Short mmCIF file of all heavy atoms in Angstrom, two decimals:
data_model
loop_
_atom_site.label_atom_id
_atom_site.label_comp_id
_atom_site.label_asym_id
_atom_site.label_seq_id
_atom_site.Cartn_x
_atom_site.Cartn_y
_atom_site.Cartn_z
N ASP A 879 7.59 2.62 -14.21
CA ASP A 879 8.74 2.40 -14.98
C ASP A 879 9.94 2.74 -14.12
O ASP A 879 10.24 3.95 -13.97
CB ASP A 879 8.75 3.16 -16.26
CG ASP A 879 9.91 2.85 -17.21
OD1 ASP A 879 10.94 2.33 -16.69
OD2 ASP A 879 9.83 3.09 -18.39
N ASN A 880 10.53 1.76 -13.48
CA ASN A 880 11.62 2.11 -12.51
C ASN A 880 12.86 2.61 -13.25
O ASN A 880 13.60 3.38 -12.61
CB ASN A 880 12.00 0.83 -11.74
CG ASN A 880 10.88 0.46 -10.75
OD1 ASN A 880 10.08 1.31 -10.36
ND2 ASN A 880 10.85 -0.81 -10.31
N ALA A 881 13.05 2.33 -14.48
CA ALA A 881 14.18 2.92 -15.20
C ALA A 881 13.99 4.42 -15.38
O ALA A 881 15.00 5.13 -15.55
CB ALA A 881 14.32 2.23 -16.59
N LYS A 882 12.75 4.89 -15.39
CA LYS A 882 12.50 6.27 -15.56
C LYS A 882 12.07 6.97 -14.25
O LYS A 882 11.65 8.11 -14.24
CB LYS A 882 11.39 6.51 -16.62
CG LYS A 882 11.74 5.99 -17.99
CD LYS A 882 10.63 6.28 -18.96
CE LYS A 882 11.03 5.87 -20.40
NZ LYS A 882 9.95 6.14 -21.40
N ASN A 883 12.07 6.22 -13.16
CA ASN A 883 11.67 6.72 -11.85
C ASN A 883 10.27 7.39 -11.94
O ASN A 883 10.02 8.50 -11.40
CB ASN A 883 12.70 7.80 -11.30
CG ASN A 883 13.86 7.17 -10.66
OD1 ASN A 883 14.11 5.94 -10.85
ND2 ASN A 883 14.61 7.92 -9.86
N THR A 884 9.39 6.69 -12.65
CA THR A 884 8.06 7.29 -12.88
C THR A 884 6.97 6.28 -12.62
O THR A 884 7.10 5.11 -12.92
CB THR A 884 7.97 7.81 -14.34
OG1 THR A 884 9.01 8.78 -14.57
CG2 THR A 884 6.64 8.45 -14.60
N VAL A 885 5.93 6.82 -12.03
CA VAL A 885 4.67 6.04 -11.84
C VAL A 885 3.57 6.69 -12.60
O VAL A 885 3.57 7.92 -12.71
CB VAL A 885 4.35 5.87 -10.33
CG1 VAL A 885 4.01 7.19 -9.65
CG2 VAL A 885 3.16 4.88 -10.10
N TYR A 886 2.69 5.89 -13.14
CA TYR A 886 1.62 6.35 -13.98
C TYR A 886 0.23 5.99 -13.45
O TYR A 886 0.10 5.00 -12.71
CB TYR A 886 1.75 5.81 -15.40
CG TYR A 886 3.05 6.05 -16.06
CD1 TYR A 886 4.08 5.04 -16.04
CD2 TYR A 886 3.36 7.25 -16.67
CE1 TYR A 886 5.31 5.24 -16.65
CE2 TYR A 886 4.58 7.48 -17.27
CZ TYR A 886 5.56 6.48 -17.24
OH TYR A 886 6.80 6.71 -17.85
N LEU A 887 -0.76 6.79 -13.80
CA LEU A 887 -2.14 6.45 -13.56
C LEU A 887 -2.90 6.64 -14.85
O LEU A 887 -3.15 7.82 -15.20
CB LEU A 887 -2.74 7.26 -12.42
CG LEU A 887 -4.09 6.80 -11.99
CD1 LEU A 887 -4.07 5.41 -11.35
CD2 LEU A 887 -4.73 7.82 -11.01
N GLN A 888 -3.25 5.55 -15.50
CA GLN A 888 -4.04 5.65 -16.71
C GLN A 888 -5.53 5.64 -16.30
O GLN A 888 -5.98 4.74 -15.61
CB GLN A 888 -3.76 4.47 -17.64
CG GLN A 888 -4.63 4.40 -18.88
CD GLN A 888 -4.36 5.57 -19.82
OE1 GLN A 888 -3.19 5.85 -20.11
NE2 GLN A 888 -5.40 6.18 -20.38
N MET A 889 -6.23 6.66 -16.69
CA MET A 889 -7.64 6.89 -16.27
C MET A 889 -8.50 6.82 -17.48
O MET A 889 -8.41 7.70 -18.36
CB MET A 889 -7.83 8.16 -15.49
CG MET A 889 -6.88 8.27 -14.34
SD MET A 889 -7.18 9.72 -13.30
CE MET A 889 -6.83 11.03 -14.46
N ASN A 890 -9.36 5.84 -17.60
CA ASN A 890 -10.27 5.70 -18.70
C ASN A 890 -11.69 5.85 -18.25
O ASN A 890 -11.97 5.74 -17.05
CB ASN A 890 -10.09 4.35 -19.40
CG ASN A 890 -8.72 4.17 -19.97
OD1 ASN A 890 -8.05 5.12 -20.37
ND2 ASN A 890 -8.23 2.91 -20.01
N SER A 891 -12.63 6.08 -19.18
CA SER A 891 -14.04 6.15 -18.84
C SER A 891 -14.27 7.12 -17.70
O SER A 891 -14.98 6.81 -16.74
CB SER A 891 -14.64 4.79 -18.51
OG SER A 891 -14.40 3.90 -19.56
N LEU A 892 -13.68 8.32 -17.75
CA LEU A 892 -13.74 9.24 -16.68
C LEU A 892 -15.15 9.74 -16.45
O LEU A 892 -15.90 9.95 -17.41
CB LEU A 892 -12.80 10.41 -16.93
CG LEU A 892 -11.33 10.06 -16.61
CD1 LEU A 892 -10.37 11.05 -17.32
CD2 LEU A 892 -11.07 10.05 -15.10
N LYS A 893 -15.40 9.94 -15.19
CA LYS A 893 -16.77 10.43 -14.78
C LYS A 893 -16.63 11.79 -14.06
O LYS A 893 -15.54 12.09 -13.53
CB LYS A 893 -17.38 9.46 -13.77
CG LYS A 893 -17.49 8.02 -14.36
CD LYS A 893 -18.03 7.10 -13.25
CE LYS A 893 -18.12 5.67 -13.81
NZ LYS A 893 -18.64 4.74 -12.71
N PRO A 894 -17.64 12.56 -14.02
CA PRO A 894 -17.50 13.86 -13.29
C PRO A 894 -17.09 13.67 -11.84
O PRO A 894 -16.35 14.55 -11.30
CB PRO A 894 -18.97 14.42 -13.35
CG PRO A 894 -19.53 13.82 -14.61
CD PRO A 894 -18.93 12.46 -14.73
N GLU A 895 -17.45 12.58 -11.25
CA GLU A 895 -17.05 12.39 -9.81
C GLU A 895 -15.57 11.99 -9.68
O GLU A 895 -15.08 11.92 -8.53
CB GLU A 895 -17.91 11.28 -9.16
CG GLU A 895 -17.98 9.97 -9.93
CD GLU A 895 -19.25 9.90 -10.80
OE1 GLU A 895 -19.59 10.93 -11.44
OE2 GLU A 895 -19.85 8.81 -10.86
N ASP A 896 -14.85 11.80 -10.75
CA ASP A 896 -13.45 11.56 -10.73
C ASP A 896 -12.62 12.94 -10.66
O ASP A 896 -11.44 12.87 -10.43
CB ASP A 896 -12.95 10.81 -11.93
CG ASP A 896 -13.49 9.41 -12.03
OD1 ASP A 896 -13.56 8.73 -10.93
OD2 ASP A 896 -13.86 8.94 -13.11
N ALA A 897 -13.37 14.00 -10.88
CA ALA A 897 -12.67 15.32 -10.81
C ALA A 897 -12.09 15.57 -9.46
O ALA A 897 -12.78 15.45 -8.43
CB ALA A 897 -13.61 16.40 -11.23
N ALA A 898 -10.82 15.98 -9.43
CA ALA A 898 -10.15 16.22 -8.13
C ALA A 898 -8.70 16.59 -8.39
O ALA A 898 -8.23 16.56 -9.53
CB ALA A 898 -10.16 14.95 -7.23
N LEU A 899 -8.04 16.96 -7.36
CA LEU A 899 -6.58 17.19 -7.34
C LEU A 899 -5.95 15.88 -7.06
O LEU A 899 -6.25 15.28 -6.03
CB LEU A 899 -6.17 18.24 -6.37
CG LEU A 899 -4.74 18.71 -6.42
CD1 LEU A 899 -4.40 19.41 -7.77
CD2 LEU A 899 -4.49 19.71 -5.25
N TYR A 900 -5.14 15.35 -7.98
CA TYR A 900 -4.54 14.03 -7.90
C TYR A 900 -3.10 14.19 -7.38
O TYR A 900 -2.34 14.89 -8.00
CB TYR A 900 -4.60 13.29 -9.19
CG TYR A 900 -5.97 12.67 -9.42
CD1 TYR A 900 -7.04 13.50 -9.82
CD2 TYR A 900 -6.14 11.35 -9.39
CE1 TYR A 900 -8.28 12.93 -10.06
CE2 TYR A 900 -7.38 10.74 -9.61
CZ TYR A 900 -8.46 11.56 -9.97
OH TYR A 900 -9.71 11.01 -10.20
N TYR A 901 -2.80 13.41 -6.34
CA TYR A 901 -1.45 13.46 -5.79
C TYR A 901 -0.83 12.06 -5.90
O TYR A 901 -1.48 11.08 -5.75
CB TYR A 901 -1.54 13.80 -4.29
CG TYR A 901 -2.06 15.13 -3.89
CD1 TYR A 901 -3.45 15.27 -3.67
CD2 TYR A 901 -1.21 16.19 -3.77
CE1 TYR A 901 -3.91 16.56 -3.34
CE2 TYR A 901 -1.71 17.44 -3.41
CZ TYR A 901 -3.07 17.61 -3.17
OH TYR A 901 -3.52 18.81 -2.81
N CYS A 902 0.46 12.05 -6.15
CA CYS A 902 1.21 10.82 -5.98
C CYS A 902 1.95 10.83 -4.65
O CYS A 902 2.25 11.94 -4.14
CB CYS A 902 2.13 10.50 -7.12
SG CYS A 902 3.60 11.50 -7.20
N ALA A 903 2.24 9.66 -4.13
CA ALA A 903 2.90 9.56 -2.82
C ALA A 903 3.78 8.37 -2.77
O ALA A 903 3.55 7.36 -3.50
CB ALA A 903 1.79 9.44 -1.71
N ALA A 904 4.80 8.40 -1.95
CA ALA A 904 5.79 7.37 -1.86
C ALA A 904 5.89 6.83 -0.45
O ALA A 904 5.96 7.65 0.53
CB ALA A 904 7.14 7.84 -2.38
N ASN A 905 5.93 5.57 -0.33
CA ASN A 905 6.18 4.86 0.97
C ASN A 905 7.56 4.18 0.86
O ASN A 905 7.76 3.32 0.03
CB ASN A 905 5.10 3.81 1.24
CG ASN A 905 5.39 2.90 2.40
OD1 ASN A 905 6.48 2.44 2.54
ND2 ASN A 905 4.35 2.72 3.25
N ASN A 906 8.49 4.63 1.70
CA ASN A 906 9.84 4.14 1.61
C ASN A 906 10.26 3.33 2.84
O ASN A 906 11.43 3.25 3.19
CB ASN A 906 10.87 5.26 1.31
CG ASN A 906 11.14 6.10 2.53
OD1 ASN A 906 10.24 6.17 3.46
ND2 ASN A 906 12.28 6.72 2.64
N ARG A 907 9.29 2.74 3.51
CA ARG A 907 9.54 2.01 4.74
C ARG A 907 9.93 0.57 4.41
O ARG A 907 9.22 -0.19 3.74
CB ARG A 907 8.27 1.97 5.64
CG ARG A 907 7.76 3.41 5.88
CD ARG A 907 6.40 3.51 6.46
NE ARG A 907 5.90 4.85 6.33
CZ ARG A 907 4.72 5.25 6.77
NH1 ARG A 907 3.94 4.42 7.41
NH2 ARG A 907 4.36 6.52 6.53
N ARG A 908 11.10 0.21 4.92
CA ARG A 908 11.70 -1.09 4.63
C ARG A 908 10.77 -2.22 5.07
O ARG A 908 10.19 -2.20 6.19
CB ARG A 908 13.06 -1.25 5.36
CG ARG A 908 13.78 -2.50 5.00
CD ARG A 908 15.07 -2.57 5.86
NE ARG A 908 16.03 -1.58 5.40
CZ ARG A 908 16.94 -1.78 4.41
NH1 ARG A 908 16.93 -2.96 3.84
NH2 ARG A 908 17.74 -0.87 4.11
N ASN A 909 10.60 -3.20 4.22
CA ASN A 909 9.83 -4.43 4.48
C ASN A 909 8.37 -4.09 5.00
O ASN A 909 7.84 -4.71 5.86
CB ASN A 909 10.50 -5.25 5.58
CG ASN A 909 11.84 -5.78 5.07
OD1 ASN A 909 12.05 -6.11 3.91
ND2 ASN A 909 12.83 -5.76 5.98
N TYR A 910 7.80 -3.03 4.42
CA TYR A 910 6.47 -2.57 4.86
C TYR A 910 5.39 -3.55 4.38
O TYR A 910 5.38 -3.95 3.24
CB TYR A 910 6.24 -1.19 4.31
CG TYR A 910 4.93 -0.57 4.75
CD1 TYR A 910 4.85 -0.06 6.05
CD2 TYR A 910 3.81 -0.58 3.93
CE1 TYR A 910 3.67 0.54 6.46
CE2 TYR A 910 2.63 0.01 4.36
CZ TYR A 910 2.53 0.59 5.68
OH TYR A 910 1.39 1.14 6.10
N SER A 911 4.52 -3.86 5.32
CA SER A 911 3.41 -4.74 4.94
C SER A 911 2.05 -4.27 5.51
O SER A 911 1.14 -5.01 5.68
CB SER A 911 3.69 -6.15 5.42
OG SER A 911 3.83 -6.18 6.86
N GLY A 912 2.01 -3.00 5.89
CA GLY A 912 0.82 -2.46 6.45
C GLY A 912 -0.16 -1.90 5.48
O GLY A 912 -0.07 -2.19 4.22
N SER A 913 -1.01 -1.05 5.95
CA SER A 913 -2.00 -0.39 5.10
C SER A 913 -1.39 0.52 4.07
O SER A 913 -0.32 1.09 4.30
CB SER A 913 -2.98 0.36 6.02
OG SER A 913 -3.77 1.25 5.25
N LEU A 914 -2.07 0.69 2.98
CA LEU A 914 -1.67 1.59 1.95
C LEU A 914 -2.78 2.60 1.62
O LEU A 914 -2.75 3.26 0.62
CB LEU A 914 -1.23 0.87 0.67
CG LEU A 914 0.03 0.07 0.84
CD1 LEU A 914 0.24 -0.79 -0.39
CD2 LEU A 914 1.28 0.96 1.03
N TYR A 915 -3.83 2.59 2.42
CA TYR A 915 -5.07 3.30 2.07
C TYR A 915 -5.20 4.71 2.72
O TYR A 915 -6.15 5.40 2.44
CB TYR A 915 -6.26 2.48 2.45
CG TYR A 915 -6.27 1.13 1.76
CD1 TYR A 915 -6.25 -0.07 2.49
CD2 TYR A 915 -6.33 1.06 0.37
CE1 TYR A 915 -6.25 -1.29 1.86
CE2 TYR A 915 -6.31 -0.20 -0.25
CZ TYR A 915 -6.31 -1.37 0.49
OH TYR A 915 -6.29 -2.57 -0.11
N TYR A 916 -4.25 5.07 3.53
CA TYR A 916 -4.36 6.31 4.33
C TYR A 916 -3.11 7.21 4.00
O TYR A 916 -2.05 6.67 3.73
CB TYR A 916 -4.41 6.05 5.79
CG TYR A 916 -5.60 5.16 6.14
CD1 TYR A 916 -5.43 3.76 6.36
CD2 TYR A 916 -6.90 5.64 6.26
CE1 TYR A 916 -6.49 2.98 6.64
CE2 TYR A 916 -7.95 4.83 6.54
CZ TYR A 916 -7.75 3.49 6.74
OH TYR A 916 -8.83 2.66 6.99
N THR A 917 -3.35 8.50 4.14
CA THR A 917 -2.26 9.40 3.88
C THR A 917 -1.08 9.21 4.76
O THR A 917 0.07 9.41 4.41
CB THR A 917 -2.75 10.90 3.92
OG1 THR A 917 -3.30 11.11 5.24
CG2 THR A 917 -3.77 11.14 2.88
N SER A 918 -1.35 8.77 6.02
CA SER A 918 -0.33 8.49 6.98
C SER A 918 0.59 7.29 6.61
O SER A 918 1.61 7.05 7.24
CB SER A 918 -0.87 8.35 8.36
OG SER A 918 -1.83 7.24 8.36
N ASP A 919 0.18 6.54 5.63
CA ASP A 919 0.96 5.38 5.19
C ASP A 919 2.07 5.75 4.22
O ASP A 919 2.83 4.89 3.83
CB ASP A 919 0.03 4.35 4.52
CG ASP A 919 -1.06 3.81 5.47
OD1 ASP A 919 -0.77 3.71 6.67
OD2 ASP A 919 -2.19 3.53 4.94
N TYR A 920 2.14 7.03 3.88
CA TYR A 920 3.11 7.51 2.92
C TYR A 920 4.01 8.58 3.52
O TYR A 920 3.67 9.27 4.43
CB TYR A 920 2.39 8.01 1.65
CG TYR A 920 1.67 6.92 1.03
CD1 TYR A 920 0.37 6.55 1.40
CD2 TYR A 920 2.22 6.20 -0.12
CE1 TYR A 920 -0.30 5.53 0.77
CE2 TYR A 920 1.50 5.19 -0.73
CZ TYR A 920 0.27 4.87 -0.24
OH TYR A 920 -0.42 3.82 -0.86
N ASP A 921 5.21 8.63 2.94
CA ASP A 921 6.21 9.51 3.51
C ASP A 921 6.52 10.78 2.67
O ASP A 921 6.98 11.72 3.20
CB ASP A 921 7.55 8.73 3.63
CG ASP A 921 7.36 7.46 4.48
OD1 ASP A 921 7.05 7.56 5.67
OD2 ASP A 921 7.46 6.34 3.86
N TYR A 922 6.31 10.69 1.41
CA TYR A 922 6.58 11.78 0.51
C TYR A 922 5.36 12.01 -0.41
O TYR A 922 4.70 11.10 -0.83
CB TYR A 922 7.80 11.55 -0.33
CG TYR A 922 9.08 11.31 0.50
CD1 TYR A 922 9.51 10.00 0.72
CD2 TYR A 922 9.73 12.33 1.08
CE1 TYR A 922 10.65 9.77 1.45
CE2 TYR A 922 10.87 12.14 1.87
CZ TYR A 922 11.31 10.83 2.05
OH TYR A 922 12.41 10.61 2.81
N TRP A 923 5.18 13.32 -0.76
CA TRP A 923 4.01 13.72 -1.52
C TRP A 923 4.45 14.72 -2.65
O TRP A 923 5.34 15.53 -2.43
CB TRP A 923 2.97 14.33 -0.64
CG TRP A 923 2.36 13.41 0.28
CD1 TRP A 923 2.82 12.97 1.50
CD2 TRP A 923 1.17 12.65 0.04
NE1 TRP A 923 2.00 12.07 2.07
CE2 TRP A 923 0.97 11.82 1.23
CE3 TRP A 923 0.21 12.64 -0.96
CZ2 TRP A 923 -0.14 11.01 1.34
CZ3 TRP A 923 -0.89 11.78 -0.82
CH2 TRP A 923 -1.05 11.00 0.31
#
């Protein structure tokens, strides 16, 4: 919700293997079209 500056993760049907510390991250690189799967792809945590 960009009006609230908030991102959500709705998690259903949770399994024991989903247990973890969950982090959100932001990529603010202009016109970015690279990978999004690695921690190095993000700038803020």
Side-chain angles (χ1 to χ4, degrees):
D879 184 339
N880 288 339
K882 296 182 178 179
N883 278 18
T884 301
V885 63
Y886 305 98
L887 186 67
Q888 177 67 44
M889 306 187 296
N890 299 329
S891 303
L892 282 160
K893 305 175 180 180
E895 53 264 41
D896 294 319
L899 188 61
Y900 281 72
Y901 298 90
C902 72
N905 171 314
N906 74 336
R907 304 168 199 181
R908 183 184 292 271
N909 298 321
Y910 185 78
S911 60
S913 165
L914 292 171
Y915 302 118
Y916 302 99
T917 58
S918 58
D919 298 328
Y920 297 83
D921 306 295
Y922 301 101
W923 292 83

